[in-house]
Amino acid sequence: MKKTLSGLVTIIFAAVFSLSALAAEETTVVMTVDSNAMTVNGEEQELEQAPVIIDGRTLVPVRAAVEAIGGEADWNSETREITITKGTDVINMTIDSNTAYLNGEEAILDTAPIIINSRTCMPIRFIAEGLGFEVSWNAEERQITITGTEEEVEEISEDEETEAAEEAAEPITEVYVSFGDSEFFALHLYDNETAATIGTFAAMEDWQLPIYHYDDYENWEVMQYYEIPSSYEIPTDPETVTEEAAGSVYISEDNEILLFYKDAEVEGEFTPLGYFDWSEEFVDAVENNPVVEGWDNKLIHISING
């Protein structure tokens, strides 16, 4: 998709919505040093990189371990940073650095993440415990066991379903967004399935979400990209967009929500989501959203209350 833009920001909204109650199901993951076999709840899987012991510390392949306990691991080859997410928890780590962040709070690791055979390996205890799991070590068997609970959907009663349907019948027409520590600005949602889904997500909880920057587009200095994790499916009905006024908001099929905070020309297929009321204060808040210490990037805040 070709983009020729002037003043484009991408906003990420991420949440999980279900008309369900939540139940707990235990997850057990077992890995063995120098073995490519891993079991998840008794089912064997093959690892591309076996766990290893270096300088007395056990390191495991991060993606396999994180996905086994229901999380996601993203890799930034330019910054050599690993971003691990599970629910609302976010862990940031960097190759060869002993400094990590759990939900923005700094932590010092005994052992830094490293790359072995093109696979990122790191100490599992900090990650697993940060995501609410427990880790045990069997020295005789040289095994690492990770245990914890996963949320699963459980069927709700007919009365609960009716009550939820009645609540859902009242559409959410506005959500509120602040850029860093700015005031909140109203995002007026259109009457379509895409906007309704975003409104539902925002109603579930207030969000504090990081911005991920990309600098490979023309006029990137006025662009900021917030990508929705691929696990969250947003319905889209794209239309051709070539020119937009400041404040217009769209979503793309690759899970990016686009905010034009200045008048712009663009060539792409986007689904209309809503609009902000344009003002100089709004533009100033977007352009001057500060980088937050501990996150190493900017944040936006999303709420239905403002």
Side-chain angles (χ1 to χ4, degrees):
M1 176 179 64
K2 177 183 177 183
K3 299 182 181 179
T4 307
L5 313 175
S6 174
L8 170 63
V9 159
T10 311
I11 303 176
I12 166 176
F13 298 86
V16 179
F17 174 68
S18 175
L19 297 179
S20 319
L22 294 176
E25 179 183 10
E26 186 170 287
T27 297
T28 301
V29 180
V30 179
M31 291 180 283
T32 305
V33 172
D34 295 330
S35 171
N36 290 82
M38 173 180 73
T39 62
V40 181
N41 294 335
E43 295 186 7
E44 186 168 311
Q45 300 180 12
E46 184 175 354
L47 297 171
E48 294 183 352
Q49 169 62 46
V52 297
I53 296 178
I54 298 178
D55 296 330
R57 299 293 180 183
T58 303
L59 304 179
V60 303
V62 59
R63 186 176 299 277
V66 169
E67 291 181 351
I69 59 176
E72 294 186 356
D74 293 318
W75 165 250
N76 186 322
S77 59
E78 184 174 330
T79 62
R80 290 162 58 89
E81 183 180 72
I82 309 101
T83 301
I84 298 166
T85 57
K86 184 176 185 295
T88 58
D89 291 318
V90 180
I91 295 174
N92 297 97
M93 310 175 80
T94 304
I95 296 298
D96 297 328
S97 172
N98 290 78
T99 302
Y101 297 93
L102 172 60
N103 296 326
E105 295 292 328
E106 183 177 307
I108 303 301
L109 305 174
D110 291 334
T111 304
I114 62 174
I115 294 178
I116 303 174
N117 298 325
S118 300
R119 300 295 171 186
T120 302
C121 296
M122 59 180 60
I124 189 58
R125 185 174 298 278
F126 173 76
I127 299 170
E129 293 181 351
L131 300 180
F133 283 70
E134 296 182 356
V135 179
S136 61
W137 164 250
N138 185 321
E140 183 177 348
E141 300 291 337
R142 303 213 305 168
Q143 284 186 338
I144 310 103
T145 301
I146 307 168
T147 56
T149 56
E150 281 289 320
E151 291 181 343
E152 65 172 0
V153 294
E154 180 181 281
E155 292 187 4
I156 62 175
S157 69
E158 186 174 339
D159 289 342
E160 290 173 320
E161 185 174 1
T162 300
E163 182 179 351
E166 289 175 351
E167 291 178 356
E170 293 295 330
I172 296 170
T173 59
E174 291 183 345
V175 295
Y176 299 90
V177 180
S178 71
F179 303 87
D181 56 1
S182 77
E183 64 178 290
F184 279 91
F185 297 90
L187 170 56
H188 308 286
L189 298 175
Y190 291 135
D191 183 14
N192 60 40
E193 183 183 5
T194 305
T197 302
I198 294 300
T200 299
F201 288 169
M204 300 302 292
E205 65 175 314
D206 293 344
W207 306 321
Q208 175 172 279
L209 305 170
I211 298 173
Y212 296 95
H213 296 277
Y214 297 84
D215 58 5
D216 54 351
Y217 294 104
E218 182 181 357
N219 297 325
W220 68 268
E221 66 276 6
V222 294
M223 301 180 196
Q224 297 171 336
Y225 287 78
Y226 303 69
E227 292 190 326
I228 302 174
S230 59
S231 58
Y232 304 122
E233 295 185 5
I234 312 295
T236 60
D237 184 16
E239 60 184 46
T240 300
V241 176
T242 58
E243 186 174 343
E244 268 311 325
S248 299
V249 182
Y250 291 82
I251 187 169
S252 67
E253 288 190 310
D254 53 357
N255 265 19
E256 294 177 346
I257 294 183
L258 314 176
L259 160 63
F260 297 89
Y261 70 96
K262 292 183 179 178
D263 292 343
E265 294 182 357
V266 60
E267 182 179 334
E269 297 293 318
F270 307 127
T271 301
L273 183 63
Y275 64 94
F276 286 93
D277 294 320
W278 187 93
S279 67
E280 292 183 359
E281 292 78 12
F282 169 68
V283 174
D284 181 71
V286 174
E287 292 185 329
N288 294 294
N289 185 2
V291 173
V292 178
E293 183 178 358
W295 285 80
D296 294 329
N297 52 29
K298 303 178 181 181
L299 297 177
I300 58 172
H301 308 263
I302 301 119
S303 171
I304 62 168
N305 300 311

